């Protein structure tokens, strides 16, 4: 039978040794204060009601910084760290405890796992004392205030600790790798306070002396080693505070694994690795948070519509979400089989549902899944709304989730299974000129990328009398081992089939894993960049279909759209990355087209979200009505707008880069990128540098992946590559 978890209390030393160190404790650090960060780490391991904070006489600053919920005791005189711990004796003994954790308020960079590891080691080794240690380089320069752990040399096995040598005891500079006593301890309360009292009788008040005494008495002392030396840094000077702020900021961008199951929305919904952040438990928690919003707003009668794509766990997740909404007395339309994301975007306003939800991770690799949430009008919620959903979901425990068994929910009609393919297809065919395509003789190959487009897009193409062949259309949750993104690198099979067709095919089409993005290959087997496709469709909508209005693009999309809009006398608008910003911008200026360079687009009068299936149908209509090939149309429009060439690259975004790159951009105002004068710099989303000659360069950290995205556009491929090389050099310098 497993033993009960030992009852733990903690002492946090926050009295400081002088006025400067005390004042630094309440300085801001990473959204909190120095002392707030240190105590916050302790309370991830020890219940706040069992934390005793030792403060200076008459202190109010630390108390105000931390607030209520802790026990505060005052150290009458600054006689040393051992005396400070002894001051907490009565408070700790009143709590009743099996073990005591001692930590310092001026070491706020320790992680909860380090303290947790220390406590585990203390208990599992049945130690009398356990200390936290770290092995570091450059000890004299950065860690001179820490004591050195001295071990006995042994031929094999763990070397026992025989002493902790203070800095004052060093007779020669410490060189090479040195093991340091970081200053966190775990001990039994009787031993801890008994030894500290005996030390005080001998006028010894240094906490480090505790280890020496325990070793001298033949008691057991063990250590837990931390490997991230950034945790070791204490804050006793303004310079150390500035360094700590950098470390805290950098940590915010480190992908956290294993214990981090937080739900975090990116630019297109919540996405996470399956089995890590993406779990059925998190699906249920997020569904409960959205169900709470439905209930607060009194929209239960409208219900929700839920679907899933072909990814691993999508069907199980859709059913789990349905059980949560049903458990909250909210009717559910559960879409049968796998469905495209745009069908759910359509279904929300079609059914007048409060929300549309689809389980998908779009174009991400197969080991990912996620959830997209759509408003009643089919638009994506903006950041303030998704922040509200994720914060509420993360605050919920699984015990807070209300569910109704799916079988019972179906029996009672709270969950209704339904297909909406036909209404969705009919709605597309009301906008697309199906009759104009019939008789055109178009023949296409469609790469479904193992996604969800075959049924709906196949029906539309058949209705148009387009002869269509599908590849990669079977259900394969591994997507052939690649991320299902319709870009040039992943469409080799499609390009090869068209090249080998000898003019047999009019074009190739591709949709991503959830069918909201499009990729096009022309009649010669050449991949058509999404930027060029947006240019073609804007020209077609404006000039052939006669639909007047401007265009909206995100800041990573070609400026040739602006040139074409100016040629038409129309407005163009640049927005942040995220299709929700594109559709919001379209509404503001009444744009006819909105799109992004990654292959997402929509048109006025259709969905408030991107739709690769609709886009494929619109391309077929464009070819049929103009009677021209993609390559011919593209050249004709370039004759109007001129050419711009884009170069892109992604590099892994280290935490240090996320701190240093924005700082350098802020501290060194750019006047030139290489030899090219800078006209303006925008910070609406990353940093976009616009040059006087019309070229531009963008640095933007991804919101969903640990990547720094770099994009450049210029009048020649060489200049675009030159700008991209400059960006790479800037971030790696």
């Amino acid at each position: 039978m497993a033993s009960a978890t030992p009852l733990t209390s903690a002492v946090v030393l926050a009295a400081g040794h002088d006025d400067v160190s005390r004042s630094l404790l309440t300085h801001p650090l990473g959204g909190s204060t120095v002392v707030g960060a240190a105590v916050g780490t302790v309370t991830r391991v020890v219940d706040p009601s069992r934390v005793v904070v030792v403060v200076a006489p008459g202190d109010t600053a630390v108390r105000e910084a931390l607030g209520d919920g802790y026990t505060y005791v005052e150290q009458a005189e600054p006689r040393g760290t051992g005396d400070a711990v002894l001051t907490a004796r009565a408070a700790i003994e009143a709590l009743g405890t099996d073990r005591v954790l001692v930590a310092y308020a001026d070491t706020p960079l320790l992680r909860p796992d380090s303290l947790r590891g220390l406590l585990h080691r203390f208990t599992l080794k049945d130690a009398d004392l356990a200390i936290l240690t770290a092995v570091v380089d450059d000890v004299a320069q950065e860690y001179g205030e820490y004591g050195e752990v001295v071990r006995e040399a042994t031929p094999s096995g763990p070397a026992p600790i025989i002493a902790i040598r203070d800095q004052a005891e060093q007779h020669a500079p410490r060189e090479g790798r040195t093991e340091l006593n970081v200053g966190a301890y775990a001990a039994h309360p009787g031993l801890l306070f008994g030894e500290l009292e005996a030390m005080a009788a001998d006028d010894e008040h240094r906490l480090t002396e505790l280890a020496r005494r325990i070793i001298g008495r033949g008691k057991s002392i063990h250590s837990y080693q931390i490997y991230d030396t950034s945790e070791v840094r204490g804050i006793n000077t303004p310079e150390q505070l500035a360094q700590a702020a950098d470390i805290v900021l950098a940590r915010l961008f480190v992908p956290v694994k294993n214990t981090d199951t937080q739900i975090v929305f990116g630019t297109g919904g919540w996405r996470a690795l399956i089995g890590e952040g993406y779990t059925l438990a998190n699906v249920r928690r997020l569904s409960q948070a959205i169900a709470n919003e439905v209930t607060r707003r009194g929209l239960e009668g409208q219900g929700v519509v839920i679907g899933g794509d072909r990814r691993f766990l999508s069907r199980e997740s859709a059913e789990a979400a349905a059980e949560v909404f049903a458990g909250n007395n909210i009717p559910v339309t559960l879409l049968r089989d796998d469905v495209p994301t745009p069908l759910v975007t359509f279904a929300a306003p079609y059914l007048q549902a409060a929300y549309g939800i689809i389980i998908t991770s779009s174009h991400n690799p197969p080991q990912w899944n996620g959830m997209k949430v759509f408003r009643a009008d089919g638009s994506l919620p903006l950041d303030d709304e998704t922040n509200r959903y994720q914060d509420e979901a993360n605050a919920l425990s699984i015990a807070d989730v209300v569910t109704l068994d799916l079988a019972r929910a179906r029996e009672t009609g709270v969950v209704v299974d339904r297909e909406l393919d036909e209404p969705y297809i009919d709605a597309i065919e009301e906008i697309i000129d199906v009759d104009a395509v019939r008789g055109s003789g178009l023949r296409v190959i469609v790469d479904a990328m193992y996604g969800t487009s075959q049924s709906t897009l196949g029906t539309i193409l058949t209705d148009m009398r387009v002869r269509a062949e599908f590849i990669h259309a079977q259900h394969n949750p591994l997507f052939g081992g690649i991320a299902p993104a319709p870009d040039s690198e992943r469409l080799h099979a499609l390009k090869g089939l068209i090249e080998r067709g000898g003019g047999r095919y009019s074009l190739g089409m591709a949709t991503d894993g959830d069918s909201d993005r499009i990729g096009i290959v022309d009649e010669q087997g050449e991949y058509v960049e999404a930027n060029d496709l947006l240019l073609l469709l804007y020209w077609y909508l404006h000039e052939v279909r006669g639909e007047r209005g401007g265009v909206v693009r995100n800041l990573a999309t070609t400026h040739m759209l602006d040139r074409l809009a100016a040629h038409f006398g129309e407005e163009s608008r640049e927005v942040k990355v995220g299709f929700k910003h594109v559709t919001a911008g379209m509404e503001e200026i009444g744009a006819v087209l909105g799109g992004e360079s990654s292959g997402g687009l929509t048109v006025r009068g259709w969905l408030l979200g991107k739709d690769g299936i609709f886009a494929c149908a619109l391309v077929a209509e464009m070819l049929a009505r103009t009677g021209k090939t993609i390559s011919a149309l593209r050249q004709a429009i370039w004759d109007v707008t001129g050419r711009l060439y884009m170069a892109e690259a992604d590099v892994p975004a280290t935490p240090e880069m996320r701190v240093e790159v924005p700082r350098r951009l802020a501290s060194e105002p750019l006047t030139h990128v290489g030899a090219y004068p800078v006209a303006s710099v925008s910070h609406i989303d990353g940093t976009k540098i616009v040059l006087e000659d019309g070229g531009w360069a963008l640095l933007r950290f991804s919101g969903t992946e640990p990547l720094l995205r770099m994009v450049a556009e210029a009048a020649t491929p060489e200049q675009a590559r030159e700008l991209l090389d400059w960006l790479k050099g800037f971030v790696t310098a």
Side-chain angles (χ1 to χ4, degrees):
M1 181 175 178
S3 60
T5 302
L7 200 57
T8 307
S9 298
V11 179
V12 180
L13 306 184
H17 62 272
D18 57 28
D19 290 342
V20 173
S21 64
R22 281 190 287 273
S23 67
L24 287 171
L25 291 179
T26 54
H27 270 252
L29 180 66
S32 181
T33 58
V34 172
V35 67
V39 173
T41 298
V42 171
T43 57
R44 294 278 297 275
V45 180
V46 178
D47 187 277
S49 66
R50 306 186 66 82
V51 175
V52 178
V53 182
V54 181
V55 296
D59 167 83
T60 58
V62 170
R63 287 181 172 92
E64 291 175 359
L66 294 177
D68 298 330
Y70 306 104
T71 299
Y72 295 95
V73 297
E74 294 185 357
Q75 183 184 14
E77 298 178 30
R79 292 192 291 182
T81 52
D83 178 73
V85 175
L86 192 57
T87 302
R89 179 176 189 170
I92 291 293
E93 290 178 343
L95 291 170
T97 186
D98 300 313
R99 58 187 184 182
V100 180
L101 171 68
V102 178
Y104 287 81
D106 63 358
T107 54
L109 300 178
L110 290 175
R111 300 179 191 270
D113 276 344
S114 297
L115 298 182
R116 196 173 288 116
L118 174 66
L119 289 171
H120 287 344
R121 184 62 54 90
F122 171 74
T123 298
L124 294 172
K125 291 290 189 181
D126 195 21
D128 293 299
L129 178 71
I131 64 174
L132 197 63
T133 72
V135 177
V136 302
D137 297 313
D138 300 323
V139 64
Q141 294 182 15
E142 301 182 72
Y143 309 101
E145 69 271 21
Y146 290 97
E148 179 183 351
V149 176
V150 182
R151 294 182 182 270
E152 181 181 353
T154 57
S156 62
I161 297 172
I162 58 175
I164 295 177
R165 187 180 299 140
D166 284 341
Q167 181 185 14
E169 299 175 295
Q170 305 298 317
H171 301 293
R174 294 181 289 188
E175 297 180 354
R177 295 179 63 78
T178 304
E179 185 177 12
L180 300 181
N181 171 31
V182 175
Y185 302 82
H188 293 295
L191 175 66
L192 174 66
F193 294 118
E195 288 295 334
L196 290 176
E197 194 169 64
M199 287 165 51
D202 294 336
D203 199 29
E204 173 57 72
H205 304 289
R206 295 175 300 164
L207 190 56
T208 52
E209 183 64 19
L210 176 68
R212 194 193 312 268
R213 292 199 173 219
I214 287 178
I215 293 168
R217 289 180 52 190
K219 297 285 186 178
S220 64
I221 178 169
H222 289 273
S223 65
Y224 177 79
Q225 182 180 340
I226 57 177
Y227 296 93
D228 179 359
T229 56
S230 71
E231 296 186 54
V232 181
R233 295 174 183 271
I235 298 178
N236 294 291
T237 67
E239 292 76 19
Q240 290 173 335
L241 177 63
Q243 293 169 358
D246 286 350
I247 293 169
V248 170
L249 182 59
R251 285 181 181 179
L252 294 176
F253 300 100
V254 177
V256 180
K257 298 182 179 180
N258 302 323
T259 58
D260 187 3
T261 58
Q262 296 291 294
I263 296 165
V264 180
F265 275 76
T267 54
W270 164 54
R271 304 173 191 177
L273 282 169
I274 296 170
E276 187 174 300
Y278 188 86
T279 63
L280 290 179
N282 269 351
V283 169
R284 293 186 178 100
R285 290 199 301 155
L286 181 54
S287 297
Q288 182 65 54
I290 298 169
N292 291 348
E293 182 76 2
V294 172
T295 303
R296 279 192 291 265
R297 295 173 59 195
L299 302 177
E300 299 97 316
Q302 293 180 226
V304 297
V305 56
I306 301 174
D309 68 2
R310 287 181 159 184
R311 286 178 178 268
F312 179 67
L313 282 184
S314 284
R315 174 47 45 179
E316 292 85 351
S317 299
E319 292 178 348
E323 289 182 326
V324 173
F325 285 98
N328 286 270
N329 295 160
I330 299 169
V332 176
T333 298
L334 183 59
L335 299 176
R336 292 191 180 99
D337 303 321
D338 50 77
V339 296
T341 287
L343 193 152
V344 175
T345 311
F346 162 83
Y350 177 77
L351 297 176
Q352 297 183 329
Y355 287 96
I357 294 169
I358 184 157
I359 308 299
T360 182
S361 191
S362 191
H363 62 284
N364 281 77
Q367 62 267 37
W368 290 68
N369 210 335
M371 182 186 292
K372 291 183 180 179
V373 181
F374 298 97
R375 294 166 167 164
D377 62 0
S379 64
L380 285 167
L382 296 178
D383 294 344
D384 61 334
E385 296 171 73
T386 56
N387 288 343
R388 191 166 66 247
Y389 304 153
Q390 73 183 27
D391 291 347
E392 182 167 357
N394 288 326
L396 296 173
S397 72
I398 200 64
D400 296 320
V401 176
V402 183
T403 63
L404 177 64
D405 180 74
L406 187 59
R408 179 60 57 86
R410 282 172 166 149
E411 287 175 7
T412 57
V414 183
V415 173
V416 176
D417 296 277
R418 188 172 176 183
E419 293 179 358
L420 292 177
D421 291 36
E422 289 193 12
Y424 170 69
I425 291 168
D426 290 344
I428 290 177
E429 293 184 356
E430 286 180 9
I431 299 176
I432 298 297
D433 191 344
V434 173
D435 291 335
V437 185
R438 291 174 177 171
S440 63
L442 289 179
R443 186 165 194 155
V444 304
I445 303 179
V446 182
D447 189 343
M449 304 198 80
Y450 304 104
T452 56
S453 67
Q454 182 182 15
S455 176
T456 48
L457 180 55
T459 300
I460 294 168
L461 293 174
T462 298
D463 290 346
M464 290 176 166
R465 306 297 190 267
V466 173
R467 290 174 289 177
E469 301 172 24
F470 277 78
I471 63 172
H472 304 142
Q474 66 270 33
H475 188 170
N476 180 353
L478 297 179
F479 301 105
I482 62 171
D487 53 39
S488 181
E489 294 180 0
R490 295 175 176 88
L491 295 180
H492 291 300
L494 182 61
K495 291 188 289 186
L497 287 169
I498 293 177
E499 288 174 357
R500 294 190 295 272
R504 181 182 180 189
Y505 300 104
S506 308
L507 79 159
M509 300 174 172
T511 51
D512 69 341
D514 68 333
S515 307
D516 67 354
R517 298 188 183 196
I518 181 177
I520 292 293
V521 175
D522 72 11
E523 76 284 355
Q524 299 171 3
E526 180 180 347
Y527 179 76
V528 178
E529 298 292 340
N531 285 318
D532 290 334
L533 179 61
L534 291 173
L535 205 64
L536 289 171
L537 290 176
Y538 184 38
W539 169 86
Y540 172 70
L541 291 166
H542 196 278
E543 296 299 280
V544 179
R545 291 190 58 155
E547 299 186 23
R548 298 296 180 256
V551 66
V552 175
R553 58 167 179 78
N554 71 22
L555 78 171
T557 301
T558 181
H559 286 203
M560 287 191 289
L561 282 169
D562 303 47
R563 293 182 180 182
L564 189 57
H567 175 75
F568 293 151
E570 304 282 10
E571 185 177 357
S572 60
R573 176 162 295 188
E574 178 176 276
V575 297
K576 296 194 294 184
V577 172
F579 211 77
K580 55 193 172 186
H581 303 297
V582 172
T583 53
M586 290 177 67
E587 184 177 357
E588 290 172 4
I589 69 170
V592 66
L593 175 73
E596 55 189 14
S597 59
S598 57
L601 65 94
T602 194
V603 303
R604 186 175 58 208
W606 185 229
L607 303 180
L608 297 179
K610 52 193 174 185
D611 187 344
I613 294 167
F614 175 87
C616 286
L618 185 60
V619 170
E621 179 196 313
M622 177 179 67
L623 294 187
R625 287 191 61 178
T626 61
K628 296 182 179 180
T629 63
I630 289 281
S631 58
L633 286 171
R634 187 165 53 169
Q635 185 58 57
I637 296 170
W638 286 340
D639 290 342
V640 173
T641 63
R643 291 291 305 275
L644 289 175
Y645 299 85
M646 189 170 283
E648 301 178 72
D650 294 340
V651 297
T654 65
E656 292 76 16
M657 286 167 57
R658 288 182 180 265
V659 174
E660 186 61 24
V661 170
R663 172 185 290 156
R664 289 175 55 202
L665 287 167
S667 63
E668 304 172 16
L670 289 171
T671 60
H672 289 75
V673 172
Y676 306 103
V678 172
S680 64
V681 179
S682 167
H683 298 288
I684 67 166
D685 190 359
T687 298
K688 185 169 183 177
I689 307 158
V690 180
L691 307 178
E692 290 183 358
D693 65 1
W696 55 272
L698 172 67
L699 287 168
R700 177 182 171 273
F701 290 100
S702 171
T704 57
E705 301 171 87
L707 295 173
L708 173 60
R709 304 197 185 281
M710 296 179 287
V711 188
E713 189 175 52
T716 66
E718 293 76 18
Q719 185 184 358
R721 178 56 58 183
E722 186 179 350
L723 295 176
L724 192 67
D725 289 342
W726 184 91
L727 291 177
K728 291 179 180 178
F730 181 86
V731 301
T732 58

